[in-house]
């Protein structure tokens, strides 16, 4: 039996709820505990606002105010549709943990001593990380196999932030593609051993938002496939070479506009190619 | 307020909080600053080279200058001017040695030996943001500190062109927006002209790298 602890960024994270729900139906794995980061504090807000600027407000609005309703006007294959396909009936991780009699730990930061204590007690094989900030080395060292993270980009070339946009800005949609990569976390940024990756193709009405929506579904799929593969020992993590990739940072609005133009051009070319 | 109205409100809020300088605003800022400085009778002699280089960049960008700029006296400083600066000691643990930006610019124009240091410097600027480039290996007057910061921005813009690496131009955009406020407050013409030079270098890189 593969013992798993789930790390989640907020209690109503749809990504985390989907992973929790599907893991509870998966044979040979046992969800041992759920650790959730609590709501905002001033320190975290300042730090993230400094990094993201005012777009953080949109993130907060989407996550905390809209919740699952953010998908309402989308006809994309997004997490909400995926949740319907999977008949997900979990509204909150806390309620789910109570129903399943799983320890539930609410922490200010996933690196808090309470997380460490819980991991030492549970001794999991894996932590499934579904977001919530950087994880420090003392936590990374505790699960026997490691901490799994799904990155919204193709590794090793695209590590770090805004890599969907960077892939487009660097005209790498054809060569590297939009995708997601499941990997073990290490001390670096998206530099740990790779377990699985998958690319997606673009669609005629795509923009970065719709691409990200579809990638969120791929992230859940990869997380679950990866866990099953590790359970069955059919997947072997492949270490990354640092020199095979670069780290990317928050994209400035002027570069983002360029990336949007590049994406539009690419889609136009694909449409023209398809109609020939 | 409906969801759509709130979303539009967030758009406006984003635009006002993350005040972005448009290419047109930058051009006008540089042209106005250049004309003011070029007409200034008390322009510091040490900054003449900066002003001269600025004229060249402006001409290359098709911006308005006084007549055609004369030929540049020297394009690159010689390595001897950097004394004991090396790739190993010019930037370490977040501490910048004076001359680091110009030195790395000189090194990276001919070799790749500073490439991994450039990655460290980029990470430092992106992670520390406005608090970056604030520790120097020796005490420096405010004016010298701001000149060093603009030098790193110039380095990033040039490096972006040399390596076709948009990440460095991305960082230069942010740095110049952070530094604008200070430059508008300072009386130092040397800081002003170096900042205008940083903006012109940024726009030259943008012209080259962000053209579809």
């Amino acid at each position: 039996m593969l013992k798993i602890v789930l790390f989640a960024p907020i209690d109503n994270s749809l990504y985390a709820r989907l992973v929790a729900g599907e893991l509870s139906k998966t044979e040979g794995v046992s969800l041992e505990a759920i650790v959730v980061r609590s709501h905002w504090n001033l320190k975290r807000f300042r730090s993230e606002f400094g990094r993201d600027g005012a777009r953080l407000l949109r993130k907060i609005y989407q996550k905390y105010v809209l919740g699952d309703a953010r998908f309402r006007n989308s006809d994309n294959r997004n997490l909400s549709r995926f949740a319907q396909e999977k008949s997900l009936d979990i509204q909150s991780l806390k309620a789910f943990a109570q129903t399943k009699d799983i320890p539930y730990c609410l922490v200010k930061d996933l690196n808090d001593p309470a997380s460490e204590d819980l991991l030492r007690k549970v001794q999991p094989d894996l932590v499934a990380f579904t977001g919530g900030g950087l994880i420090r080395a003392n936590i990374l060292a505790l699960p026997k196999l490691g901490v799994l993270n799904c990155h919204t980009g193709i590794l090793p070339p695209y590590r770090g932030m805004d890599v969907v946009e960077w892939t487009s800005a660097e005209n790498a949609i054809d060569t590297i593609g939009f995708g997601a990569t499941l990997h073990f976390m290490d001390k670096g940024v998206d530099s740990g051993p790779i377990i699985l990756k998958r690319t997606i193709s673009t669609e005629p009405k795509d923009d970065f938002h719709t691409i990200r929506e579809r990638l969120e579904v791929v992230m859940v799929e990869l997380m679950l496939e990866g866990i099953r593969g590790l359970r069955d020992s059919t997947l072997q993590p492949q270490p990354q070479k640092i020199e095979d990739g670069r780290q990317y940072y928050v994209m400035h609005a002027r570069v983002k506009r360029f990336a949007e133009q590049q994406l539009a051009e690419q889609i136009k070319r694909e449409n023209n190619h398809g109609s020939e | 307020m409906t969801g759509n109205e709130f979303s539009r409100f967030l758009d406006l809020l984003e635009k006002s909080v993350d005040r972005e300088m448009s290419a047109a605003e930058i051009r006008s800022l540089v042209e106005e600053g250049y004309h003011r400085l070029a007409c200034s009778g008390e322009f510091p002699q040490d900054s003449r080279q900066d002003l001269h280089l600025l004229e060249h960049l402006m001409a290359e960008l098709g911006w308005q200058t006084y007549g055609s700029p004369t030929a540049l006296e020297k394009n690159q400083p010689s390595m001897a001017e950097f004394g004991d600066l090396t790739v190993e000691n010019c930037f370490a643990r977040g501490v910048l040695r004076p001359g680091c930006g110009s030195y790395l610019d000189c090194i990276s124009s001919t070799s790749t030996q500073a490439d991994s240091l450039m990655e460290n410097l980029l990470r430092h600027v992106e992670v520390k943001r406005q608090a970056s480039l604030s520790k120097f290996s020796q005490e420096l007057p405010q004016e010298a500190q701001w000149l060093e910061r603009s030098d790193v921005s110039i380095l990033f813009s040039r490096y972006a062109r040399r390596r076709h690496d948009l990440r460095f131009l991305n960082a230069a955009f942010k740095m110049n927006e952070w530094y604008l406020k200070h430059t508008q407050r300072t009386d130092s013409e040397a800081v002003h002209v170096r900042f205008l030079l940083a903006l012109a270098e940024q726009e030259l890189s943008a012209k080259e790298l962000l053209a579809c």
Side-chain angles (χ1 to χ4, degrees), chain A residues 46-47 49-55 57-58 61 73 166 169-170 246-255 257-258 261-262 265, chain B residues 3 6-7 10-11 13-14 17-18 20-21 23 26 122-123 126 129 165-167 170 173-174 177 202-203 206 209-212:
Chain A
R46 273 190 189 152
S47 159
F49 190 80
R51 185 192 65 201
D52 294 344
R55 73 179 188 173
L57 302 175
R58 184 175 300 278
Y61 171 66
N73 298 325
W166 280 109
E170 295 193 334
R246 300 200 299 194
Q247 190 176 344
Y248 292 80
Y249 303 92
V250 172
M251 188 177 266
H252 186 271
R254 281 183 70 180
V255 185
R257 279 197 294 277
F258 174 69
Q261 286 169 12
Q262 294 280 89
E265 289 289 321
Chain B
F6 194 75
S7 189
L10 282 176
D11 281 342
L13 199 63
E14 267 184 54
V17 174
D18 295 339
E20 177 206 336
M21 280 194 290
I26 290 168
L122 178 69
R123 187 179 309 119
E126 290 279 11
R129 304 182 290 268
D165 191 335
L166 271 175
R167 296 175 308 149
N170 187 61
F173 280 139
K174 295 180 198 173
E177 282 175 2
Q202 168 197 298
E203 289 310 297
L209 300 176
L210 301 185
C212 277

Side-chain angles (χ1 to χ4, degrees), chain A residues 219-248:
Chain A
M219 286 163 71
V220 179
E221 289 172 340
L222 288 183
M223 183 63 85
L224 297 169
E225 276 179 49
I227 289 170
R228 287 193 293 264
L230 291 166
R231 175 199 63 191
D232 303 338
S233 303
T234 52
L235 289 173
Q236 195 62 43
Q238 301 296 319
Q240 296 186 47
K241 284 185 190 161
I242 288 299
E243 62 272 23
D244 287 346
R246 300 200 299 194
Q247 190 176 344
Y248 292 80

Side-chain angles (χ1 to χ4, degrees), chain A residues 51 129 133-137 140 147-163 166 181-194 239-250, chain B residues 119-120 122-124 126-128 167:
Chain A
R51 185 192 65 201
F129 175 83
L134 296 172
I135 302 297
R136 297 209 190 103
L140 293 177
V147 178
L148 279 178
N149 173 50
C150 202
H151 170 66
T152 329
I154 295 297
L155 295 176
Y158 284 95
R159 302 186 181 117
M161 306 281 293
D162 287 350
V163 292
W166 280 109
T181 308
L182 183 72
H183 66 100
F184 277 121
M185 292 171 99
D186 67 4
K187 283 188 285 181
V189 175
D190 303 319
S191 55
I194 293 169
Q240 296 186 47
K241 284 185 190 161
I242 288 299
E243 62 272 23
D244 287 346
R246 300 200 299 194
Q247 190 176 344
Y248 292 80
Y249 303 92
V250 172
Chain B
E119 287 290 331
N120 293 345
L122 178 69
R123 187 179 309 119
H124 168 76
E126 290 279 11
V127 172
K128 298 283 179 188
R167 296 175 308 149

Side-chain angles (χ1 to χ4, degrees), chain A residues 50, chain B residues 91 93-96 123-136 145-146 149 175 178-179:
Chain B
F91 175 76
R93 295 172 186 269
V95 178
L96 207 67
R123 187 179 309 119
H124 168 76
V125 168
E126 290 279 11
V127 172
K128 298 283 179 188
R129 304 182 290 268
Q130 278 104 320
S132 66
L133 308 176
S134 56
K135 289 181 186 165
F136 294 88
Q145 290 187 21
W146 286 103
R149 290 181 191 117
M175 292 169 82
W178 300 332
Y179 301 162

Side-chain angles (χ1 to χ4, degrees), chain A residues 54-206:
Chain A
R55 73 179 188 173
L56 179 66
L57 302 175
R58 184 175 300 278
K59 201 164 115 184
I60 293 172
Y61 171 66
Q62 288 183 334
K63 277 190 181 175
Y64 291 93
V65 182
L66 290 182
D68 295 357
R70 71 189 161 111
F71 300 108
R72 206 169 29 203
N73 298 325
S74 166
D75 54 3
N76 211 5
R77 187 174 186 245
N78 56 38
L79 277 186
S80 181
R81 288 196 168 198
F82 190 63
Q84 283 169 17
E85 284 170 27
K86 297 290 176 189
S87 308
L88 182 78
D89 58 358
I90 303 168
Q91 297 305 315
S92 98
L93 290 170
K94 188 176 182 181
F96 172 76
Q98 279 170 349
T99 314
K100 298 283 177 183
D101 202 18
I102 297 168
Y104 175 91
C105 184
L106 190 67
V107 289
K108 266 190 183 168
D109 183 300
L110 294 174
N111 297 297
D112 276 357
S115 301
E116 190 173 338
D117 291 347
L118 187 131
L119 291 181
R120 285 192 190 284
K121 194 174 154 198
V122 171
Q123 297 188 335
D125 298 297
L126 275 175
V127 166
F129 175 83
T130 58
L134 296 172
I135 302 297
R136 297 209 190 103
N138 57 321
I139 300 282
L140 293 177
L142 290 174
K144 286 181 197 119
L145 296 175
V147 178
L148 279 178
N149 173 50
C150 202
H151 170 66
T152 329
I154 295 297
L155 295 176
Y158 284 95
R159 302 186 181 117
M161 306 281 293
D162 287 350
V163 292
V164 174
E165 290 79 358
W166 280 109
T167 304
S168 175
E170 295 193 334
N171 205 12
I173 303 172
D174 277 340
T175 51
I176 292 166
F178 297 122
T181 308
L182 183 72
H183 66 100
F184 277 121
M185 292 171 99
D186 67 4
K187 283 188 285 181
V189 175
D190 303 319
S191 55
I194 293 169
I195 296 155
L196 282 169
K197 51 184 155 181
R198 182 170 303 151
T199 54
I200 59 167
S201 53
T202 54
E203 292 179 4
K205 286 184 183 170
D206 263 341

Side-chain angles (χ1 to χ4, degrees), chain B:
Chain B
M1 198 182 267
T2 66
N4 280 345
E5 282 167 347
F6 194 75
S7 189
R8 276 197 293 276
F9 167 72
L10 282 176
D11 281 342
L12 287 173
L13 199 63
E14 267 184 54
K15 278 180 186 151
S16 60
V17 174
D18 295 339
R19 179 82 182 89
E20 177 206 336
M21 280 194 290
S22 69
E25 278 176 297
I26 290 168
R27 177 178 178 167
S28 139
L29 189 75
V30 174
E31 283 180 341
E32 279 171 27
Y34 161 78
H35 288 294
R36 191 179 56 76
L37 290 166
C39 296
S40 164
E42 293 163 21
F43 192 74
Q45 195 59 37
D46 289 353
S47 299
R48 292 256 167 233
Q49 177 71 16
D50 280 354
L51 191 68
H52 198 37
L53 188 52
L54 176 63
E55 281 174 340
H56 272 268
L57 291 176
M58 289 172 71
E60 207 167 332
L61 286 160
W63 296 357
Q64 196 189 352
T65 59
Y66 289 123
S68 307
T70 52
L72 282 171
E73 288 157 23
K74 56 174 186 174
N75 223 345
Q76 279 286 6
S78 73
M79 290 309 289
E81 289 175 39
F82 296 111
D84 61 351
L85 276 179
T86 63
V87 169
E88 288 72 33
N89 71 16
C90 67
F91 175 76
R93 295 172 186 269
V95 178
L96 207 67
R97 286 191 64 181
C100 172
S102 313
Y103 171 73
L104 288 177
D105 183 33
C106 198
I107 290 273
S108 64
S109 67
T110 54
S111 87
T112 56
Q113 70 178 110
D115 284 1
S116 97
L117 184 62
M118 288 299 296
E119 287 290 331
N120 293 345
L121 196 51
L122 178 69
R123 187 179 309 119
H124 168 76
V125 168
E126 290 279 11
V127 172
K128 298 283 179 188
R129 304 182 290 268
Q130 278 104 320
S132 66
L133 308 176
S134 56
K135 289 181 186 165
F136 294 88
S137 61
Q138 63 192 70
E139 213 164 291
L140 284 184
Q142 279 294 313
E143 182 184 77
Q145 290 187 21
W146 286 103
L147 291 174
E148 293 292 337
R149 290 181 191 117
S150 280
D151 278 349
V152 175
S153 160
I154 291 168
L155 162 72
F156 278 9
S157 291
R158 291 181 181 168
Y159 192 81
R161 290 204 294 279
R162 281 180 197 135
R163 300 284 195 275
H164 281 264
D165 191 335
L166 271 175
R167 296 175 308 149
F168 286 88
L169 174 60
N170 187 61
F173 280 139
K174 295 180 198 173
M175 292 169 82
N176 290 334
E177 282 175 2
W178 300 332
Y179 301 162
L180 174 69
K181 263 188 195 160
H182 170 80
T183 312
Q184 284 172 334
R185 282 197 306 259
T186 183
D187 292 331
S188 164
E189 293 196 326
V191 170
H192 269 283
V193 72
R194 189 70 58 86
F195 178 67
L196 296 180
L197 192 55
L199 287 177
E201 288 282 2
Q202 168 197 298
E203 289 310 297
L204 195 61
S205 299
K207 187 180 169 186
E208 191 174 312
L209 300 176
L210 301 185
C212 277

